[in-house]
Amino acid sequence: MLFTHRADAGERLAEALRHLTGEDPVVLGLPRGGVPVAYRVARALGAPLDVVIVRKLGVPHHRELAFGAIGEGGVRVISEDIVRGGRLRPEDLAEVERAEEQELARQALRFRGDRPRVPLDGRTVIVVDDGIATGATAAAACEVVRAQGAARVVLAVPVAPPDAVARLGSVADEVVCLSTPHAFRAVGEWYQDFSQTPDEEVVFLLARAAADPVTRPPVRSVAVEVDAGDLTLPGDLALPEGAGAVVVFAHGSGSSRRSPRNRSVAADLNRAGLATLLLDLLTPAEEADRAHVFDIETLAGRLADATAWLRGRASLPVGWFGASTGAAAALWAAASDPDIGAVVSRGGRPDLAGPRLAAVRAPTLLIVGGLDTTVLDLNRRARRELRCENRLEVVPGATHLFEEPGALDEVAGLARAWFARHLTP
């Protein structure tokens, strides 16, 4: 498994951690590289984000061998076996601790400023890093977090060698690792972009999470079988408590309901109190034939049938979120459905809806990456055909899949605001 960058790894890791949503977890990132991954996890789970600062205590004259670790709040974890085996004197241990305590305080002030630590007492805590080599730092972090009062400790990483994962099972209650390659030499080999995370990025992400805390209404998620004409389509329905509207996702270009990008946007909408339905518009056999991916009329018909099925079970305003050819299907179908409250297109192909664009009445938001020049031009042309309220939003520096750090957050924010404005009074 190869990750594009840390943000991509965080989105994928969040999917593997969704079973913890009901435990009201706290997410802690190991600085520096673990924080961008943890930020995505925290946003997807609707959890508070903080940094876990750990300083290993190295044996004098043999610093790579740690005799313990310290954390904030005066937490101290010591391996008595190593202390005895190394015949370490109390004054030697104290000197090492004093030096590391100074560095601990410096990092805490640098990363968090004057904000207090997120309390961990009695909580499920997810410790996140961008990968594991030996596992020594991750193990120390788990021990420190437990000593700080965590009731349950989950260690989550995108990639690690199998032997390290096995060892870490003794210090964490659960280890979640997406990839455990046997041919493992370094964490960076499993990322296309593994550039160093600067202190400034860590500070920014922590401040952003603190300034915009995620409030998460209780969400009930169920797998559903959607009647769509002459076939049944699998779907995932998420119903936040008190939902004011529901958004149906129309995937495109062969993407399924398990698309990490659309699931990330859906999770953001759920946190805002909007229900979501993600479903596959094509069967597995149809997905193998690219011609079906561009059969906009068929995709639109199935989207309309799925919406009729949904309306029979939930009397809520309905909006559509379409990606790529799914956006064309949403606009095609919207031309025949005056009750659709709003449409959002992410990197879509509205041009494929052709002459039906003029008949769309639903307020339509087109979101395109600034570097996705071909699709941007197609959206500009299609927008001239729309007669409904519409807007084109360009995300600077983003490519077609919005994989760049912060790009998908921008998409989610734009979609959330559009649906909130047009679907919920």
Side-chain angles (χ1 to χ4, degrees):
M1 182 179 291
L2 184 65
F3 304 99
T4 306
H5 39 55
R6 291 180 178 91
D8 171 50
E11 289 170 13
R12 296 203 227 176
L13 193 57
E15 287 301 309
L17 294 166
R18 286 198 182 276
H19 64 286
L20 299 173
T21 303
E23 298 185 26
D24 192 25
V26 174
V27 177
L28 302 180
L30 276 160
R32 299 175 178 81
V35 174
V37 182
Y39 177 79
R40 294 300 178 122
V41 171
R43 297 298 294 179
L45 300 188
L49 173 69
D50 204 350
V51 66
V52 52
I53 304 175
V54 175
R55 298 298 301 176
K56 289 185 289 185
L57 304 175
V59 172
H61 312 298
H62 190 24
R63 287 303 179 92
E64 63 271 16
L65 176 62
F67 66 83
I70 57 172
E72 293 177 272
V75 169
R76 180 173 179 264
V77 179
I78 302 296
S79 172
E80 297 296 345
D81 289 342
I82 293 178
V83 170
R84 284 194 301 269
R87 298 180 180 180
L88 302 179
R89 298 179 305 170
E91 54 268 32
D92 292 334
L93 304 185
E95 183 180 350
V96 173
E97 285 191 50
R98 279 195 299 270
E100 295 300 343
E101 283 171 354
Q102 291 176 359
E103 181 60 19
L104 183 77
R106 188 198 70 79
Q107 287 192 350
L109 181 62
R110 170 64 172 144
F111 293 140
R112 195 184 292 115
D114 57 0
R115 293 189 305 275
R117 288 191 296 119
V118 175
L120 306 183
D121 292 336
R123 303 287 294 272
T124 292
V125 177
I126 306 173
V127 177
V128 178
D129 205 354
D130 54 9
I132 287 172
T134 66
T137 300
C142 290
E143 292 184 288
V144 165
V145 164
R146 199 181 300 279
Q148 288 172 337
R152 178 164 143 77
V153 179
V154 178
L155 177 63
V157 295
V159 62
D163 57 339
V165 171
R167 288 194 305 272
L168 290 164
S170 64
V171 295
D173 297 297
E174 181 180 355
V175 179
V176 176
C177 183
L178 301 183
S179 181
T180 55
H182 288 280
F184 185 98
R185 290 189 299 271
V187 173
E189 291 183 332
W190 304 95
Y191 286 81
Q192 292 179 8
D193 177 6
F194 197 64
S195 53
Q196 185 177 10
T197 301
D199 282 359
E200 291 75 14
E201 183 177 354
V202 175
V203 172
F204 169 77
L205 292 175
L206 293 172
R208 182 174 183 179
D212 183 24
V214 178
T215 55
R216 175 172 45 82
V219 179
R220 180 168 59 91
S221 299
V222 293
V224 293
E225 297 287 328
V226 180
D227 292 330
D230 57 353
L231 79 164
T232 301
L233 302 173
D236 296 320
L237 179 63
L239 292 166
E241 187 175 285
V246 58
V247 176
V248 183
F249 280 68
H251 310 291
S253 296
S255 178
S256 75
R257 71 187 189 282
R258 304 194 186 282
S259 159
R261 286 171 291 278
N262 280 347
R263 293 185 80 88
S264 179
V265 174
D268 195 279
L269 297 182
N270 294 156
R271 289 191 291 271
L274 294 168
T276 55
L277 173 62
L278 293 96
L279 76 162
D280 297 337
L281 295 177
L282 296 175
T283 66
E286 289 172 335
E287 289 175 359
D289 183 352
R290 291 287 293 174
H292 291 293
V293 173
F294 289 88
D295 185 352
I296 308 302
E297 184 173 4
T298 296
L299 295 176
R302 291 179 182 177
L303 177 60
D305 289 339
T307 302
W309 174 90
L310 181 62
R311 284 171 170 155
R313 287 155 181 79
S315 56
L316 293 171
V318 179
W320 287 334
F321 182 99
S324 193
T325 54
L331 289 167
W332 183 295
S336 302
D337 190 337
D339 295 324
I340 289 299
V343 175
V344 173
S345 162
R346 172 184 66 81
R349 291 291 308 277
D351 56 296
L352 296 178
R356 295 181 65 86
L357 289 171
V360 175
R361 294 294 173 261
T364 298
L365 173 65
L366 308 175
I367 306 174
V368 186
L371 301 182
D372 191 9
T373 53
T374 299
V375 172
L376 179 56
D377 183 57
L378 292 172
N379 274 256
R380 284 171 172 155
R381 295 181 188 179
R383 189 186 177 205
R384 291 196 287 267
E385 303 299 321
L386 290 169
R387 300 293 178 264
C388 58
E389 177 187 350
N390 65 84
R391 195 165 81 223
L392 173 64
E393 290 284 356
V394 180
V395 179
T399 50
H400 184 62
L401 295 180
F402 297 90
E403 294 178 317
E404 295 70 27
L408 201 61
D409 287 338
E410 183 74 13
V411 171
L414 291 168
R416 182 176 65 244
W418 192 259
F419 286 130
R421 174 185 170 191
H422 294 289
L423 295 184
T424 57

